[in-house]
Amino acid sequence: MFDVIVIGGGPAGLSAALCLGRTHRSTLVLDTDEGRNAPAQNVHNFFTQDGTPPTEIRRVGAEQLGHYPSVRLRVAGVSGVERNGAEAFAVALADGKVEHGRRLLLATGLADELPAIDGIAPLWGRSAFHCPYCHGYEISGRPIAVVGATPDRVRLAVHLSRFTDDVVLCTDGPAEWPPPIAGALEKAGVDVRTERVTAVHAEGPDLRAIRFETGPELERSAMFIKTVLRQRSPIAAQLGCAIFPDSAVEVNEFGQTSVPGVYAAGDMARRSTVPMPVSAVIVAAASGTIAAGIIDQDLLSVEFDLPNPFANARS
C-alpha cells in the first residue's frame, strides 16, 4: 500500500513526487512518457530552465527522484481505478497488475486536437503554436498569422503586434466585429484575410505559407492556432470528479477534486475562477508541489487523529 499513487510523470507529477519523497511518503509514479509538450524543442518561462528541451527536464526530474528511496517510478499505463474501502484506491495497470494507494494524484495532462488544416501536424510545437508566452519571443520580428475569428483570436493577434509589425489575422471565413474590436485590430496594424484556410506549405517543420480556398498564399514563418483540448486519460471521469465543459477537472486552490482522496494537478485541472487551463510548465510544477503538500497534511491528520485544516476547502 503506497501513501500516494501519482498517475502522470510530467512536470506536475514529478514535482509532486519530489515533495512527497522529501517528506518520506511512499510514492508510486506511473507514466507512459507521452508528454503534451513533447513536439516542442524547448521549454520557456521556467525560471532556471528557460530553453531546456522538455525531454531533458523529464530526464533530470526522474534522475533527482532517484535520491529518494520512498519514491518509485514505473513506465506503465493505467487501465482503471476504483475505490478500495474508505481510505484506499486500487489502480489497475495495463500489464494486469494492481497497485494500492491511500491517496491519488492525477497529473495525466491534456491532449490537443489540431484544426483540420492539411499539413499542420508536423508543424505543431515547431512553427505552429498556441501560446505567445511559451513561443512568442523566439519568433519576434517574423511574419506571423493567427487563425480564427473569435474574440480570443482577435485579442491574440493584437497581443502579437508587440512581437512583430507583421501580423495577419486569418479568420477562416467571413467575420464581423463590433467597432471596438475592429478598432483594436486597426490600431495594432493587424491585417485580415477572410478566405477559408485549407492547408499550409512547409519545409519539414518550418512553415513557409498558408493556403486558402481562394486567393493567393500568405507567406508566414509562424502561426498560432486554437486546438480542442481533451483529457489524455478517462480516469478523472471514471472516478466521478467534477469536470468543466472545456474538459478540465475542477479543483480548488489546493488541488483537491470533488472526490475525497483524489487530487489533480497540471494543465488537466483548473479552479472555477480561472477561465481556461493554464499550460505553462512552471505552473504545472508548482501545482504539483502544492497538491503534494496538502496530501501529506491530509494523511498526517488521519494518522494522528488531528483536525485537517484543509478538510473544508474541497470544491
Side-chain angles (χ1 to χ4, degrees):
M1 174 75 73
F2 289 93
D3 286 330
V4 187
I5 294 180
V6 179
I7 305 178
L14 293 180
S15 181
L18 179 62
C19 179
L20 292 165
R22 291 182 58 79
T23 55
H24 300 280
R25 287 290 179 192
S26 60
T27 305
L28 174 64
V29 181
L30 302 169
D31 186 49
T32 56
D33 198 23
E34 298 175 349
R36 180 185 179 192
N37 62 355
Q41 291 179 300
N42 301 299
V43 167
H44 293 289
N45 268 338
F46 196 142
F47 181 62
T48 76
Q49 299 297 320
D50 189 51
T52 303
T55 52
E56 179 66 5
I57 288 179
R58 278 179 170 244
R59 185 195 67 78
V60 172
E63 180 182 273
Q64 291 180 345
L65 286 177
H67 299 300
Y68 299 94
S70 66
V71 178
R72 291 168 55 186
L73 276 70
R74 187 182 305 172
V75 178
V78 174
S79 59
V81 178
E82 61 182 24
R83 188 174 289 278
N84 183 19
E87 288 289 325
F89 298 88
V91 179
L93 307 185
D95 61 8
K97 296 180 181 178
V98 177
E99 298 288 356
H100 299 272
R102 300 168 65 194
R103 297 292 183 271
L104 285 182
L105 174 58
L106 307 181
T108 48
L110 296 172
D112 296 274
E113 294 183 0
L114 303 180
I117 300 174
D118 188 35
I120 196 71
L123 309 186
W124 181 237
R126 299 301 182 94
S127 56
F129 309 113
H130 76 291
C131 174
Y133 297 102
C134 299
H135 304 288
Y137 186 84
E138 283 63 38
I139 55 175
S140 296
R142 295 159 61 182
I144 298 172
V146 176
V147 178
T150 53
D152 64 303
R153 299 295 91 189
V154 174
R155 186 180 185 89
L156 176 58
V158 171
H159 186 190
L160 288 170
S161 68
R162 192 186 315 132
F163 295 72
T164 178
D165 60 3
D166 188 359
V167 181
V168 176
L169 178 63
C170 302
T171 61
D172 195 27
E176 293 184 6
W177 303 288
I181 292 181
L185 289 170
E186 183 178 358
K187 182 178 180 181
V190 175
D191 292 330
V192 178
R193 289 281 298 267
T194 60
E195 306 96 318
R196 293 287 181 188
V197 177
T198 59
V200 293
H201 168 59
E203 295 178 4
D206 299 320
L207 176 66
R208 293 291 180 251
I210 297 173
R211 291 173 174 164
F212 302 90
E213 195 170 63
T214 59
E217 289 187 348
L218 175 65
E219 292 186 0
R220 300 285 94 178
S221 59
M223 63 189 297
F224 284 78
I225 59 177
K226 188 171 185 177
T227 64
V228 175
L229 299 176
R230 60 174 177 82
Q231 288 290 326
R232 190 175 292 274
S233 167
I235 294 172
Q238 291 172 358
L239 288 168
C241 297
I243 296 176
F244 292 108
D246 64 4
S247 88
V249 175
E250 182 177 3
V251 294
N252 62 16
E253 62 266 46
F254 304 118
Q256 296 169 316
T257 72
S258 60
V259 177
V262 179
Y263 296 72
D267 61 3
M268 67 169 289
R270 68 175 175 87
R271 296 159 57 184
S272 61
T273 54
V274 180
M276 66 192 74
V278 179
S279 300
V281 173
I282 194 168
V283 174
S287 70
T289 298
I290 292 170
I294 302 305
I295 291 172
D296 178 55
Q297 290 296 316
D298 179 8
L299 293 172
L300 182 69
S301 298
V302 172
E303 292 161 350
F304 291 94
D305 196 25
L306 293 170
N308 186 343
F310 306 101
N312 296 323
R314 188 173 294 111
S315 298

